[in-house]
Amino acid sequence: MSTSKTIKSALISVFHKDGLAPIVQKLNELNVTIYSTGGTEKFIKELGIDVVPVEDVTSYPSILGGRVKTLHPKVFGGILNRQDHEGDVAEMKEYNIPQLDLVIVDLYPFEKTVASGAPEQDIVEKIDIGGISLIRASAKNFKDTFTVSSMEQYDEFLEILSDNNGKTTIAQRKKFAAKSFNVSSHYDTAIFNYFNEDEIVFKASETTSKVLRYGENPHQKGYFFGDLDAMFDKLHGKELSYNNLLDVDAAVNLMNEFTGEDPTFAVLKHNNACGFAQRNTIKQAYLDALAGDPVSAFGGVLIANTEIDAETAEEIHKLFCEVVIAPSYSDEALATLKGKKNRVLLVQKTTNLPNQNVRTALNGLLVQDKDAITDTLEDLTYVTNTKPSEEEIKDLLFASKICKHTKSNTIVFTKNNQLLASGTGQTSRVDALNQAIEKANNFGFDLNGAVMASDAFFPFPDCVEIADKAGIKSVIQPGGSIKDQLSIDYCNTNNISMVMTGTRHFKH
């Protein structure tokens, strides 16, 4: 039997009618018999096109408030019969089952209903039963039946109809079957995740994807699965790369710690802040952030927590940077920043980020809750005789926020709401500390009066001793070492204040 099939009959039952009319009209031109139900049947009739109600085939009306319309052997027999199977052909004739060559279904909008905050009763009613069954049945029988399972497929399907006068190939039917199982599996994943409270199961489905230029390196393929348009309005520049996206993710998560605060600016490189400052104006915040490490800032990602104005844009324009992110830009700032054709300019939208981190490991996945704890004044335990001043406490909490978003092992120095230096991703805390001291010295920062944050406890007093000799007089750390007292004793002997938060912030 030929693998080419001519569509002679179609079952259409959709929730959304947008874009459906041209398909129905084309099917009518091709003399295709159309079966339908409910609102879709009414829609087709209003187009002036003949339609056979499914009730006329099944001899059953739509019942149970519309919950049961197409769930009937005459419908599913018409979809699932094998046209080259002698027994199926005989039973189709015996039971007077109409052949259905095409199924067009658009599922109830379950995810949108959940996102709207609707009550559970409304959400449950948006769990499609007949539609999902029709999709699975017709996709299973792709050798004989064509399945259109989403309104996003309408344009492509209409092109196939128009180009081939209603004929479809086995390759086309199989391709659309794959699309259909993608739709159905995504739908079921969303339903499971809504209901699941107790099962420790990881199910995720992202249907929006983007092919990147390459991965971390040019010889690696790279993809992004997610909806960047929901996160940002891209105003200018080249396509974001794999590495850009990692830096943008780090930048957004860091700056979220400072939402609604005074003008704040960060410069990131390789997922770490190399410059950070909070000031009265966004221009000064940028200048002081840049001063933290103007060398690393080259080719970095910049982010602000408030609008970037013309004066700030003039300063940014002097720097080669890959990406600039802000909640908004003045018209003059945009005109300046667009002066570099490849510079990516993003407007960050207000949106919810995932509450879990996921990464591959070995032959599986590691999944964890996001580190949603931000150290606050109420979390501090004052463990030394010398207590930090009010200004030092502000700097300690400021440093702690930055430290939380810096690769472990890390040490962060801040003073007057400015990042002076950090040691990032080192194999020992002492190495991280020495790296931070060296960077601060290289860029001319005086560490006297600065504070130090550590992402994890000090197992020995060596770190506070090295920091003391560099000029640090106040420290914030989680505590928790069996040798905490050794560090406390050193601080007491040398008039250093130390506070503990009780929360470790490793970031590997």
Side-chain angles (χ1 to χ4, degrees), residues 59-228:
S59 299
Y60 272 92
S62 173
I63 61 173
L64 307 181
R67 282 188 165 198
V68 180
K69 297 190 286 284
T70 57
L71 296 168
H72 193 279
K74 283 198 171 183
V75 174
F76 282 85
I79 295 169
L80 283 165
N81 74 92
R82 294 158 291 186
Q83 295 180 23
D84 59 353
H85 188 281
E86 186 176 337
D88 285 7
V89 173
E91 288 188 37
M92 291 284 286
K93 186 177 295 185
E94 179 182 356
Y95 296 110
N96 193 29
I97 300 173
Q99 179 68 43
L100 294 173
D101 305 312
L102 167 67
V103 172
I104 302 178
V105 175
D106 180 26
L107 298 173
Y108 294 158
F110 178 83
E111 288 180 280
K112 287 185 179 179
T113 306
V114 172
S116 72
E120 182 166 282
Q121 181 179 349
D122 292 348
I123 292 170
V124 170
E125 287 306 313
K126 288 298 184 290
I127 298 175
D128 207 312
I129 303 300
I132 203 79
S133 301
L134 292 169
I135 286 173
R136 289 178 62 83
S138 54
K140 174 180 179 177
N141 201 34
F142 67 89
K143 287 186 177 180
D144 294 314
T145 309
F146 200 107
T147 316
V148 179
S149 53
S150 167
M151 59 190 297
E152 280 74 28
Q153 300 165 16
Y154 286 176
D155 289 344
E156 186 178 357
F157 174 63
L158 182 58
E159 186 176 344
I160 291 171
L161 271 184
S162 302
D163 290 348
N164 301 286
N165 290 318
K167 287 186 178 181
T168 65
T169 66
I170 186 70
Q172 290 168 338
R173 296 193 298 277
K174 190 171 184 178
K175 176 183 177 182
F176 272 72
K179 291 175 182 283
S180 298
F181 286 120
N182 184 28
V183 168
S184 66
S185 62
H186 178 81
Y187 196 74
D188 283 339
T189 295
I191 294 170
F192 169 78
N193 286 335
Y194 171 76
F195 278 95
N196 183 42
E197 294 180 353
D198 302 319
E199 295 290 326
I200 301 177
V201 175
F202 179 77
K203 289 185 185 291
S205 177
E206 286 288 351
T207 56
T208 304
S209 63
K210 184 179 183 64
V211 178
L212 305 176
R213 297 197 303 274
Y214 50 80
E216 279 186 291
N217 301 291
H219 62 277
Q220 296 170 268
K221 292 181 179 179
Y223 311 90
F224 175 78
F225 293 92
D227 187 2
L228 284 176

Side-chain angles (χ1 to χ4, degrees), residues 7 9 19 178 223 271 325 368 388 426 457 500:
I7 296 173
S9 59
Y223 311 90
N271 309 160
I325 310 165
Q368 67 169 351
Q426 299 303 302
F457 62 64
M500 293 184 180

Side-chain angles (χ1 to χ4, degrees), residues 160-443:
I160 291 171
L161 271 184
S162 302
D163 290 348
N164 301 286
N165 290 318
K167 287 186 178 181
T168 65
T169 66
I170 186 70
Q172 290 168 338
R173 296 193 298 277
K174 190 171 184 178
K175 176 183 177 182
F176 272 72
K179 291 175 182 283
S180 298
F181 286 120
N182 184 28
V183 168
S184 66
S185 62
H186 178 81
Y187 196 74
D188 283 339
T189 295
I191 294 170
F192 169 78
N193 286 335
Y194 171 76
F195 278 95
N196 183 42
E197 294 180 353
D198 302 319
E199 295 290 326
I200 301 177
V201 175
F202 179 77
K203 289 185 185 291
S205 177
E206 286 288 351
T207 56
T208 304
S209 63
K210 184 179 183 64
V211 178
L212 305 176
R213 297 197 303 274
Y214 50 80
E216 279 186 291
N217 301 291
H219 62 277
Q220 296 170 268
K221 292 181 179 179
Y223 311 90
F224 175 78
F225 293 92
D227 187 2
L228 284 176
D229 291 338
M231 281 287 306
F232 306 105
D233 285 327
K234 182 183 170 188
L235 306 181
H236 181 73
K238 62 184 179 181
E239 292 299 312
L240 289 166
S241 70
Y242 183 98
N243 293 328
N244 287 157
L245 288 169
L246 288 175
D247 283 331
V248 168
D249 175 72
V252 167
N253 280 285
L254 170 59
M255 194 55 74
N256 280 350
E257 301 277 359
F258 300 87
T259 301
E261 296 189 14
D262 289 343
T264 307
F265 211 105
V267 182
L268 286 92
K269 195 72 173 288
H270 296 179
N271 309 160
N272 295 307
C274 58
F276 200 99
Q278 189 173 80
R279 294 292 183 258
N280 292 326
T281 68
I282 196 64
K283 176 185 175 181
Q284 196 58 50
Y286 167 71
L287 291 173
D288 289 348
L290 180 64
D293 188 345
V295 175
S296 295
F298 183 85
V301 168
L302 280 56
I303 186 167
N305 73 340
T306 191
E307 180 172 281
I308 292 178
D309 56 24
E311 288 187 345
T312 309
E314 289 289 345
E315 295 297 333
I316 293 173
H317 194 57
K318 299 173 185 176
L319 174 73
F320 169 71
C321 57
E322 293 272 355
V323 184
V324 183
I325 310 165
S328 60
Y329 303 81
S330 71
D331 292 341
E332 296 84 357
L334 273 181
T336 299
L337 294 174
K338 286 181 178 180
K340 298 284 179 67
K341 68 176 183 178
N342 287 328
R343 180 187 286 147
V344 180
L345 303 179
L346 301 176
V347 171
Q348 184 180 347
K349 301 178 184 178
T350 301
T351 186
N352 293 324
L353 294 174
N355 56 15
Q356 288 185 320
N357 299 126
V358 182
R359 64 191 296 180
T360 59
L362 301 175
N363 62 347
L365 299 172
L366 285 172
V367 181
Q368 67 169 351
D369 293 338
K370 204 167 189 177
D371 184 355
I373 294 178
T374 298
D375 298 327
T376 65
L377 182 63
E378 291 73 24
D379 298 317
L380 303 183
T381 300
Y382 303 87
V383 297
T384 53
N385 297 333
T386 301
K387 301 297 184 279
S389 68
E390 185 175 334
E391 286 304 310
E392 284 174 332
I393 289 174
K394 288 180 182 178
D395 275 336
L396 288 169
L397 293 174
F398 183 82
S400 176
K401 289 182 181 180
I402 300 172
C403 190
K404 171 184 168 182
H405 293 274
T406 307
K407 293 286 186 179
S408 299
N409 287 316
T410 187
I411 292 290
V412 166
F413 295 146
T414 67
K415 182 165 63 176
N416 299 328
N417 286 348
Q418 181 184 17
L419 172 64
L420 304 186
S422 60
T424 64
Q426 299 303 302
T427 51
S428 81
R429 202 155 302 282
V430 171
D431 285 345
L433 174 56
N434 285 328
Q435 182 191 53
I437 292 171
E438 182 179 357
K439 287 191 70 174
N441 290 336
N442 286 344
F443 294 114

